[in-house]
């Protein structure tokens, strides 16, 4: 028996009316009876497309300000009735329930309503009830019913209708899967919003959803597959970016670009961040992006080759020319001038992304990490240390210039994989030690890299993302040339570390805040 299901009756009730009129006209041309509600019926009727109101079809009016209009047997019986089961067919005939072969429904815009900051009651009224019920009913009975939850689904169904006279089981199953994914994402958004409204940070059941933006060529390694999904609420970055040139981003490009842009957003002055393998290898703030690029590149020009560059201003022509002088994978910026785009156009493999804005480093949010059989959920590291909270713990107090460099270095360290050590001077990194198993090695590696680039460490600041468990890590930084150090404090050996700082005559401050990053 053929699995083709002819479409005789369709029910259309959509909030997103993209393509609605063209879809309605095509169904009309194939002799399909169209049932509809509210605004959808009005739009179809005004376009001259014959439509029957659901209330007329069911003999039951819309009530409770439209909260009840499709939650009736004539609708759900028409969707759920199995055409291949004689008892179902007999009952449908007995109760004069007409089969519905296609359901085109997209939901009240709850996510958009929340995103625009609407009042609580407005958000409640934009929680769709009848829509998800019809979608789930149609998806369950995909043996006989096609369910369309997005305007982009129309074309495939119309193609089959034109070429085969109806929908195939393969298509109906695919649409059913998409339908359940849509209702799951919708419920996830609602449950998350309710948890926030109720002040519940970690509900007993937590879910999150994403929308596939693109499939990637491969994952972290070529034998892994990958895809990029966007989620809500939107945050400026790779999810909002427009790519102006170059081949598609890879999995690692996405990861590194996100790391670079989150880091550069920490700074108010014109700033450039260069990232390699998710770690900053050069960061600098200056009076212009071009000057900041020179200082950032000087920190580690070897690692910068093939890196990711983020800027926190509109990318200008001069800076674009400087960056494009070395091999760069990606540049991400809030915007770019036409002149900058023209300069970069000569580099066909370089990707330029503009995001429309910068993420707020202090904005609340959550991050997650997958584990075998589960995942870890935590709030985003939105901590920011200012001069007012610093605790001076040494005999020598730092100068204003040293405080400025220490805060700069500590802000960079927040974005470096632990154990992290960052040397900085004049709002530019001199050396970055990342991801080592002990803090001494991080301090030594960071100094070695900077001195290999012939940078002067005399009188620089050093930042540690966590406390020094022993004095040896600090002593390595002092040996490199550091005159001041910023660290969280809190070790049982803080006294020993402070004594080592006093012995060397350097200034040290505690932040009381740690920035582990794994």
């Amino acid at each position: 028996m053929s699995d083709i299901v002819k479409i005789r009756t369709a029910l259309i009730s959509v909030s997103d009316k993209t393509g609605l009129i063209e879809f309605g006209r095509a169904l009309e041309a194939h002799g399909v009876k169209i049932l509809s509600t509210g605004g959808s019926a009005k739009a179809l009727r005004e376009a001259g497309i014959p439509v029957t109101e659901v209330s007329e079809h069911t003999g039951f009016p819309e009530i409770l300000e439209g909260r009840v209009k499709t939650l009736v047997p004539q609708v759900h019986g028409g969707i759920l009735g199995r055409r291949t089961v004689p008892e179902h067919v007999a009952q449908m005939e007995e109760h004069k329930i007409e089969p519905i072969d296609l359901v085109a429904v997209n939901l009240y815009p709850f996510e958009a309503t929340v995103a625009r900051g609407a009042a609580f009651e407005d958000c409640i009224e934009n929680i769709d009830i009848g829509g998800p019920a019809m979608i789930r009913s149609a998806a369950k009975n995909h043996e006989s019913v096609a369910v369309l939850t997005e305007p982009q689904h129309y074309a495939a169904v119309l193609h089959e209708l034109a070429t085969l006279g109806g929908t195939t089981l393969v298509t109906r199953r695919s649409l059913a899967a998409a339908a359940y994914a849509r209702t799951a994402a919708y419920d996830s958004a609602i449950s998350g919003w309710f948890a926030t409204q109720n002040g519940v940070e970690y509900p007993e059941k937590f879910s999150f959803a994403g929308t596939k933006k693109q499939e990637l060529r491969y994952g972290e390694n070529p034998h892994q597959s990958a895809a990029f999904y966007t989620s809500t609420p939107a945050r400026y970055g790779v999810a909002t970016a427009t790519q102006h040139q170059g081949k598609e981003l890879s999995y690692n490009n996405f990861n590194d670009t996100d790391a670079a842009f989150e880091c550069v957003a920490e700074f108010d002055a014109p700033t450039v961040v260069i990232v390699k393998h998710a770690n900053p290898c050069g960061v600098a703030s200056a009076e212009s992006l071009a000057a900041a690029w020179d200082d950032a590149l000087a920190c580690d020009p070897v690692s910068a080759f093939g890196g990711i560059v983020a800027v926190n201003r509109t990318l200008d022509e001069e800076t674009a020319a400087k960056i494009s002088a070395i091999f760069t994978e990606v540049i991400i910026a809030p915007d770019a001038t036409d002149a900058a785009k023209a300069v970069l156009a000569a580099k066909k493999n370089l990707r330029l992304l503009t995001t429309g804005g910068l993420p707020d480093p202090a904005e609340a949010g959550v991050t997650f990490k997958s584990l075998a059989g589960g995942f870890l959920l935590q709030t985003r590291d939105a901590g920011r240390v200012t001069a007012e909270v610093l605790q001076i713990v040494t005999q020598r107090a730092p100068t204003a210039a040293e405080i400025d460099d220490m805060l700069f270095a500590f802000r960079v360290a927040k974005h470096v994989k632990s154990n992290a050590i960052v040397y900085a001077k004049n709002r530019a990194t001199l050396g970055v030690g990342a991801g080592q198993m002990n803090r001494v090695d991080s301090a030594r590696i960071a100094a070695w890299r900077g001195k290999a680039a012939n940078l002067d460490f005399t009188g620089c600041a050093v930042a540690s993302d966590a406390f020094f468990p022993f004095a040896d890590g600090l002593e390595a930084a002092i040996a490199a040339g550091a005159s001041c150090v910023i660290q969280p404090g809190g070790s049982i050996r803080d006294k020993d570390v402070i004594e080592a700082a006093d012995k060397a005559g350097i200034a040290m401050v505690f932040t009381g805040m740690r920035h582990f990053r794994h």
Side-chain angles (χ1 to χ4, degrees), residues 4-194:
I4 301 295
V5 171
K6 293 184 177 181
I7 302 174
R8 297 181 175 86
T9 301
L11 192 156
I12 301 176
S13 180
V14 294
S15 294
D16 181 355
K17 294 178 176 55
T18 304
L20 170 63
I21 303 308
E22 295 79 5
F23 185 57
R25 284 204 178 106
L27 292 179
E28 178 197 6
H30 287 282
V32 177
K33 176 182 177 180
I34 299 176
L35 309 177
S36 193
T37 63
S40 300
K42 182 175 182 289
L44 290 166
R45 192 178 297 111
E46 288 178 349
I49 300 168
V51 60
T52 301
E53 289 271 1
V54 166
S55 57
E56 178 185 345
H57 174 74
T58 64
F60 197 91
E62 293 185 14
I63 62 172
L64 306 180
E65 298 179 309
R67 284 189 169 200
V68 176
K69 50 191 171 186
T70 59
L71 299 170
V72 292
Q74 290 89 342
V75 170
H76 285 276
I79 297 172
L80 282 165
R82 300 181 65 185
R83 281 58 156 176
T84 57
V85 178
E87 292 84 353
H88 282 213
V89 174
Q91 288 178 25
M92 293 171 73
E93 291 175 351
E94 177 187 354
H95 295 287
K96 297 181 173 56
I97 294 175
E98 180 180 331
I100 296 172
D101 312 301
L102 181 145
V103 172
V105 173
N106 52 60
L107 306 174
Y108 292 173
F110 174 81
E111 297 100 329
T113 303
V114 170
R116 73 168 187 265
F120 182 89
E121 285 303 322
D122 288 338
C123 294
I124 292 294
E125 289 309 309
N126 274 279
I127 296 176
D128 205 329
I129 302 301
M134 287 189 290
I135 289 171
R136 290 174 63 84
S137 292
K140 178 173 182 173
N141 199 26
H142 64 270
E143 177 186 64
S144 303
V145 183
V147 56
L148 295 77
T149 53
E150 305 286 352
Q152 56 263 37
H153 295 160
Y154 298 163
V157 169
L158 291 179
H159 175 74
E160 289 192 347
L161 187 58
T163 57
L164 303 174
T167 59
T168 63
L169 181 59
V170 169
T171 293
R172 295 194 301 276
R173 281 182 176 171
S174 175
L175 292 170
Y180 282 123
R182 177 64 187 115
T183 57
Y186 196 70
D187 285 340
S188 176
I190 295 168
S191 66
W193 175 78
F194 258 111

Side-chain angles (χ1 to χ4, degrees), residues 265-268 360-362 382-386 389 411 414 513 515:
E266 294 277 1
F267 302 95
D268 298 324
D360 179 358
R384 304 195 83 191
V385 170
T386 61
V389 303
R411 202 159 284 180
K414 173 181 172 181
M513 179 181 291
H515 283 308

Side-chain angles (χ1 to χ4, degrees), residues 12 180 188 198 212 235 257 269 306 415 417 435 437-438 468:
I12 301 176
Y180 282 123
S188 176
N198 293 336
K212 186 171 72 174
R235 181 173 172 84
T257 303
H415 295 269
K417 296 296 179 69
M437 287 67 75
N438 67 74
F468 288 98

